[in-house]
Amino acid sequence: MIIVRFFAMLKGIAKAETKEYVVNGPITVAELKAMLKKDFPGLAPALDGRSVLISVNQEFASKDSVVKDGDEVGLLPPFSGG
Amino acid sequence: MGLNMPTKKKTIDASALVRIQKENFSIEEMVSLVKSTSKGIGAVVVFLGAGRDVSKGETITMLDFEHYPGMAEKKLRGIRERAIANFNIIEMAMVHRFGPIEIGENIVLIVAASAHRNDAFMACEWAITELKRITPIWKREMTAKGDVWVSETP
């Protein structure tokens, strides 16, 4: 199972804090994004834009990064700490 | 012993120097902790970020910070390590709060310590900029018109 965690305004758009996916084998971040867009159409503009970063197991990832069973994926809108 | 032999540095657990916490922090305590690591410290630069009551012309009544537990701490630890590796500083501490924060309250603290002031100034400035750039922390501002997640960092 892959667990996707939503943060800040994305949590409000998805109306969820997490989403779990059961996968048969490794997938790419791009493939996971497509699944998320299908399940959460409201997230599509954020996922298609360049401002939302993706993390895999708490490290920044790219669209080609591999996600596999047991991984934790974060959808990270622009940071505003400090 | 050579004249420029560096003063011995006391190692303090990184978890005491890099923290993300709900409760307020004591600037005095964090400065003392950093200073306790070496008698070679001659300059300490402190950056304190506090809750401001206005943003883009709107009056803010309160702030709320969310972070990615685990990843945010990891990023701050990495910034401290890179600051020590890349600047001529002796020690650095970083504290960021999460949860509701009232106007005027402390939000973030960076303490940079070096032998001479210029290194500490440069490392402190770099660290707060890097914190804003790569640390998964988000600010929500409560205004009379409603709540707004802040999506840009000046």
Side-chain angles (χ1 to χ4, degrees), chain B residues 19 27 43 45-46 75 94 130 143 146:
Chain B
R19 304 204 305 245
I27 301 163
V45 171
V46 171
K75 289 294 162 201
M94 311 180 83
E130 194 67 356
T143 74

Side-chain angles (χ1 to χ4, degrees), chain A residues 61-79:
Chain A
S62 72
K63 64 178 173 41
D64 301 320
S65 299
V66 171
V67 187
K68 56 187 189 317
D69 192 46
D71 284 351
E72 177 181 291
V73 175
L75 259 58
L76 317 174
F79 307 140

Side-chain angles (χ1 to χ4, degrees), chain B:
Chain B
M1 207 191 219
L3 281 176
N4 291 317
M5 199 74 173
T7 314
K8 203 175 165 201
K9 188 179 162 186
K10 187 174 110 193
T11 306
I12 288 186
D13 192 65
S15 62
L17 292 162
V18 179
R19 304 204 305 245
I20 296 189
Q21 60 188 43
K22 194 167 186 179
E23 63 273 19
N24 193 15
F25 47 79
S26 160
I27 301 163
E28 191 70 32
E29 277 175 26
M30 290 310 292
V31 168
S32 296
L33 183 66
V34 168
K35 278 171 71 187
S36 75
T37 60
S38 171
K39 290 193 166 63
I41 291 171
V44 179
V45 171
V46 171
F47 173 82
L48 174 68
R52 188 165 22 87
D53 72 349
V54 69
S55 177
K56 297 188 193 94
E58 290 289 333
T59 300
I60 300 165
T61 52
M62 207 171 159
L63 300 167
D64 191 22
F65 284 86
E66 180 180 330
H67 71 299
Y68 188 164
M71 185 173 177
E73 287 87 344
K74 193 152 92 175
K75 289 294 162 201
L76 291 193
R77 283 197 299 270
I79 292 168
R80 172 180 166 272
E81 282 161 18
R82 282 191 288 143
I84 291 170
N86 298 331
F87 292 87
N88 195 16
I89 59 165
I90 296 167
E91 192 49 274
M92 174 174 278
M94 311 180 83
V95 189
H96 202 297
R97 291 179 66 196
F98 66 90
I101 288 182
E102 305 273 356
I103 301 310
E105 279 190 45
N106 298 335
I107 298 170
V108 59
L109 180 74
I110 313 260
V111 180
S114 55
H116 304 285
R117 69 185 185 285
N118 199 38
D119 300 308
F121 271 121
M122 286 195 300
C124 190
E125 207 283 331
W126 175 82
I128 184 62
T129 304
E130 194 67 356
L131 180 154
K132 285 170 174 277
R133 194 175 75 86
I134 67 160
T135 312
I137 299 177
W138 300 273
K139 176 166 69 177
R140 193 159 56 106
E141 295 173 339
M142 276 66 134
T143 74
K145 288 182 185 166
D147 300 357
V148 191
W149 282 104
V150 180
S151 61
E152 56 198 75
T153 299

